[in-house]
Amino acid sequence: MLSVSFQGARKLRRVLKSKSHRYSLNVAQRLLNEAEQYAIDHQLSESVVMMIHGDDDESVFVDQLEFGKHLSYINNLIAVVQHTLSSDLFADYPAAEKKTFLDRLGQQLQTENKVQLATDNASTDQEVHPEEPTSEPTQLDNRSTQKQDSGEHFEKN
């Protein structure tokens, strides 16, 4: 399973934690967006190293990202990796290896998104039950109304 860490995020420390924090791909993608927005909002510019770790905890991909420069691809993890793999740095790497890595990244991100969606839906199902009667909240509302009424009555005396 792939995970992501970030290094050198001094100015973006509120958003990106040190290299000891490992994030799922889904969370890392969200953090890319938050870090870029934070940098823009605070008029910061910072280079951060992003490392994608493989199953054996070894770095399988390393890239230096520039936040606060309004780069169109910075908010999307797959776009960041594609951008780097299409650069001159990776010109000598076989296209099949690049495609395999991007496919693996995309599949895991899709799986994590499905799990997150299922978790969110389960959480929502537990919080809201439209088929159940709502007598308990009504009772709470009545109590708070009674307290307000008695408070108003108390003030008048």
Side-chain angles (χ1 to χ4, degrees):
M1 189 158 184
L2 300 172
S3 63
V4 179
S5 65
F6 299 96
Q7 289 182 345
R10 290 185 181 139
K11 296 176 187 173
L12 299 172
R13 197 168 285 157
R14 287 187 159 184
V15 181
L16 303 174
K17 304 294 182 205
S18 69
K19 66 181 178 178
S20 61
H21 284 79
R22 298 285 169 90
Y23 302 101
S24 68
L25 299 182
N26 193 10
V27 171
Q29 181 158 292
R30 180 178 49 82
L31 290 175
L32 288 174
N33 190 28
E34 289 177 14
E36 177 66 4
Q37 192 59 53
Y38 183 87
I40 290 169
D41 290 349
H42 293 88
Q43 299 177 349
L44 302 173
S45 179
E46 183 168 23
S47 294
V48 174
V49 175
M50 177 185 75
M51 297 187 341
I52 300 178
H53 306 274
D55 297 327
D56 56 1
D57 212 30
E58 291 290 319
S59 304
V60 294
F61 182 84
V62 178
D63 195 4
Q64 184 168 338
L65 307 177
E66 297 288 330
F67 290 99
K69 303 240 180 193
H70 300 276
L71 301 173
S72 61
Y73 59 86
I74 199 78
N75 295 321
N76 185 308
L77 183 62
I78 292 176
V80 168
V81 173
Q82 275 181 323
H83 180 266
T84 302
L85 291 178
S86 64
S87 71
D88 292 340
L89 293 172
F90 287 89
D92 295 338
Y93 279 75
E97 284 185 31
K98 294 178 191 178
K99 183 181 180 331
T100 300
F101 182 67
L102 283 169
D103 288 347
R104 180 179 177 198
L105 194 66
Q107 287 171 353
Q108 184 175 327
L109 193 55
Q110 188 175 25
T111 300
E112 287 180 14
N113 286 334
K114 285 180 184 177
V115 168
Q116 183 65 42
L117 185 61
T119 303
D120 290 348
N121 286 340
S123 165
T124 302
D125 288 345
Q126 289 176 359
E127 292 174 8
V128 178
H129 300 286
E131 66 278 355
E132 293 180 7
T134 57
S135 62
E136 189 171 300
T138 304
Q139 291 174 354
L140 291 175
D141 289 343
N142 288 341
R143 288 184 199 140
S144 63
T145 303
Q146 290 171 354
K147 287 180 183 176
Q148 289 175 349
D149 290 343
S150 66
E152 291 173 3
H153 177 69
F154 200 68
E155 289 175 15
K156 291 179 184 176
N157 286 341

